Amino acid sequence: VSVALFDLGQRLRAAVLCRPVARSAFAPVLPPENAVAVTIRGSGDHVLLRAADETHRAADETVASGPGALSALGRLGVSIDAEPRTLVVPDRDTLARLYELATATDSTPDNDRVAAVVGWWALRADHPGTGAVLNVTAACSARWVLGAPPEDERDLASWRAWLGVNDRGPRGLLQLAAAVAAGTTLPGLEAFAEDDRDSWESFVLRLLDPKAAWDWRRRDSRREAALGLATRCDAAELWESLRLGDPLVACRESFAGTVITGAVVGLPARGTVEIAVDQLTCRLRENTAVEGFAGYPVDLPPATLTGSSAALVRGRVSSSRVTSGDRLLVTVGDGVIRAGALRLGQRLTLRPRSIDPRQQRSGRQELRRRYVLRRSWLSGGAPPVPRRRDVPLDVVIAAAE
Amino acid sequence: VSDPVDGDPLKSADGSEMLAALEEYADRLLLSTGLNTHNALGIASGSQKPPVELENVARALRTGWALDPAEPA
C-alpha cells in the first residue's frame, strides 16, 4: 500500500499541474534505431496494417490489408538483409498480432525477408530493456505518472492526451517514442544494445545458412528453450538492477521495500553492520546479496560497475527482526566494508547487489558450451543445476502457451 | 509549479476540476485510512497536518508529491 500511496502523491501532483510528472529521471529506453511504427486493426483476411518511419516522410504512411499486409513494412525497407531497426508499437498485443500475421503469411522471398524480422522483434521483445522493440504504453508508464487512475496508464489514448500528441496512427507513435526516449538514457542500458546486435547477427547468420535449413517459425528445441529462458531471465534481472540506479525509481522502491534506508546502529564484528531501518517494509530476504551506499535512496549511484565501486559495504542480509520499539533492524554479514567508511549513526541505503552484464554474458556462454556437449554430463562436468530466479510474466505466459 | 488554490484543494492552479476517475480511485485506496482525496491532497501538498497515527501514510504521499523535478514532459 505504501507504494500505491507514494504513487497517489505523484498522481495528485500531476492532476494539479495538468501534466505528467516524472517517474524516472533518466529515459528508460534506448534511443530508437531507424524506428518503424506499426498499428494493426482487425484480424485474419480483414487485418489493416499501418506503418510509418522517419525516413519516408514523403509518403505519410504505408497501409496494407489482408494476407499481404506485411508488404507495408517491406515498402519501408524492413528486411532481414538490412540493418536492425526498432519496432514501435502501442502495446504488447499489437506485436502479438503482427507476429501472428508474419507466421501466417505465404512464403515468398519478399514476404520471408520481412516476416523473419518480425520473428526477431518478437524474440527480443521478451527481453526487458531491449532496444529492438519499443512498447509505447509500457515505456511511458516507466517514465511518467499521470493524474489519473493506474489503469488509464495502460491506454495509449491517455498518453496521447496527456503528452499532446494528436496523431492517432503510427506517426503519433513515433512522436511518443521520441518523447519517451528524450534526454539522458538510463546508464547501463547500452548492454542491451550490444545484446540486440549480437542477437541480430546470429539470427541472420542462422537464417541465411543453407546448411542449417533453419526456420524461425519452428518451435525451439529443448536446448534452445533452456538457453532462451536464461537470456530472458538475465535481461529481466539486469533491467531491474539498472532501474534502481535511477534516483526517482530508487526512491519509489524504498516504499516497496526493495531499497531500504536507515542509520547504522552497530558494527558488532568485522564484515558485519546493523542498520535500524526507517520503515518496516523490507523485501530483502535473508541471504540476499546487497550493497550499501551513503545517503538516501535518491543518492544511489547508477547501477553500473563504476557505481558499484562506490559501495561502502557489500555483503548478504544475515538477519532482520523487529525490535520491541517497532523498529526494523537489518544485519548485513559476510561483508566487505570499505576501511573506515562506516560509523555509528551514519545514514546508509541498501539495495540488491548490482548485476554485472559481463558476468551474465560469460555465464550464458558457459551454459551454452555445456548444453552443446554431446558427451555425458558424467564425463563432461556437472550438468547445469536448477536454480530459483524471477521470470518475467510475459515469459511465463509464452511458455504456458 | 503552482500549488492548489486556497480554499478548494480539488481545484488545480488553472481552475480545472480534478479528474473524477482519479478522485474515485483515491477514495477507494484511502478507505482504510479514514482519509479522502481532499485530505490526501492537503496532506501531500503540506497544507494539512496528518493525524499522528497516519504519519507513514503522510510520508508516502508527501514524498511522491515532492519528487517531481519540475521536468516538463
Side-chain angles (χ1 to χ4, degrees), chain A residues 30-391:
Chain A
L30 286 161
E33 292 277 345
N34 194 7
V36 52
V38 168
T39 62
I40 293 185
R41 292 175 67 184
S43 60
D45 288 348
H46 304 288
V47 71
L48 177 71
L49 190 152
R50 297 167 67 195
D53 67 7
E54 293 291 349
T55 54
H56 293 71
R57 286 181 183 279
D60 187 37
E61 63 183 43
T62 59
V63 181
S65 61
L70 277 190
S71 63
L73 292 176
R75 289 202 295 278
L76 293 179
V78 171
S79 169
I80 202 74
D81 300 325
E83 288 295 298
R85 302 173 68 171
T86 301
L87 172 70
V88 178
V89 284
D91 47 37
R92 181 87 194 187
D93 182 55
T94 300
L95 178 61
R97 293 165 76 185
L98 186 61
Y99 181 76
E100 209 172 279
L101 185 64
T103 52
T105 297
D106 290 339
S107 179
T108 66
D110 284 348
N111 284 349
D112 288 350
R113 284 190 191 91
V114 181
V117 178
V118 175
W120 181 73
W121 279 331
L123 172 80
R124 292 308 296 164
D126 288 340
H127 299 72
T130 179
V133 177
L134 199 160
N135 174 338
V136 170
T137 43
C140 287
S141 299
R143 179 136 202 192
W144 298 293
V145 180
L146 299 181
E151 57 266 26
D152 285 18
E153 292 177 354
R154 293 191 282 274
D155 182 5
L156 184 71
S158 299
W159 290 107
R160 275 202 310 260
W162 281 80
L163 294 172
V165 172
N166 296 322
D167 191 309
R168 299 165 64 87
R171 288 244 166 260
L173 289 181
L174 291 175
Q175 291 172 38
L176 289 168
V180 81
T184 308
T185 306
L186 177 67
L189 274 192
E190 56 278 4
F192 289 103
E194 204 175 316
D195 286 347
D196 287 338
R197 174 64 62 173
D198 290 348
S199 164
W200 173 262
E201 284 173 0
S202 65
F203 188 92
V204 172
L205 269 177
R206 202 173 173 200
L207 193 69
L208 300 183
D209 181 0
K211 287 183 198 158
W214 178 61
D215 182 357
W216 61 271
R217 297 175 181 86
R218 210 169 49 210
R219 288 171 66 93
D220 286 344
S221 66
R222 286 199 301 171
R223 178 166 61 86
E224 288 167 341
L227 291 170
L229 184 59
T231 64
R232 287 164 172 86
C233 292
D234 278 357
E237 283 182 1
L238 179 59
W239 165 250
E240 292 300 330
S241 177
L242 294 177
R243 286 280 283 163
L244 292 183
D246 185 306
L248 304 192
V249 175
C251 185
R252 180 177 187 268
E253 286 302 315
S254 70
F255 287 90
T258 310
V259 171
I260 58 173
T261 185
V264 175
V265 292
L267 295 162
R270 186 185 171 88
T272 304
V273 54
E274 287 177 344
I275 301 142
V277 182
D278 290 352
Q279 299 188 132
L280 289 174
T281 315
C282 176
R283 291 191 182 192
L284 302 176
R285 294 178 184 169
E286 279 183 26
N287 215 31
T288 302
V290 292
E291 54 197 17
F293 297 87
Y296 289 86
V298 290
D299 301 319
L300 284 182
T304 56
L305 289 176
T306 316
S308 297
S309 65
L312 302 186
V313 56
R314 305 186 84 192
R316 291 184 179 275
V317 174
S318 56
S319 72
S320 57
R321 64 187 172 87
V322 177
T323 66
S324 53
D326 275 350
R327 295 294 301 272
L328 176 64
L329 200 65
V330 171
T331 305
V332 175
D334 194 19
V336 177
I337 299 175
R338 201 198 290 175
L342 290 184
R343 53 180 168 69
L344 294 181
Q346 180 172 356
R347 167 67 46 180
L348 193 68
T349 293
L350 294 181
R351 56 155 291 171
R353 195 176 293 174
S354 301
I355 301 290
D356 180 351
R358 289 177 305 185
Q359 274 186 5
Q360 282 189 326
R361 234 171 254 144
S362 89
R364 288 199 301 273
Q365 279 168 0
E366 174 62 8
L367 191 63
R368 183 172 288 108
R369 188 187 69 77
R370 293 161 79 185
Y371 269 121
V372 297
L373 281 178
R374 294 198 177 274
R375 52 193 174 162
S376 157
W377 290 116
L378 294 173
S379 59
V385 291
R387 65 188 182 102
R388 187 175 290 278
R389 63 193 298 187
D390 292 331
V391 178

Side-chain angles (χ1 to χ4, degrees), chain B residues 8-21:
Chain B
D8 187 353
L10 280 185
K11 292 275 190 185
S12 64
D14 68 354
S16 64
E17 293 287 328
M18 182 184 286
L19 298 174

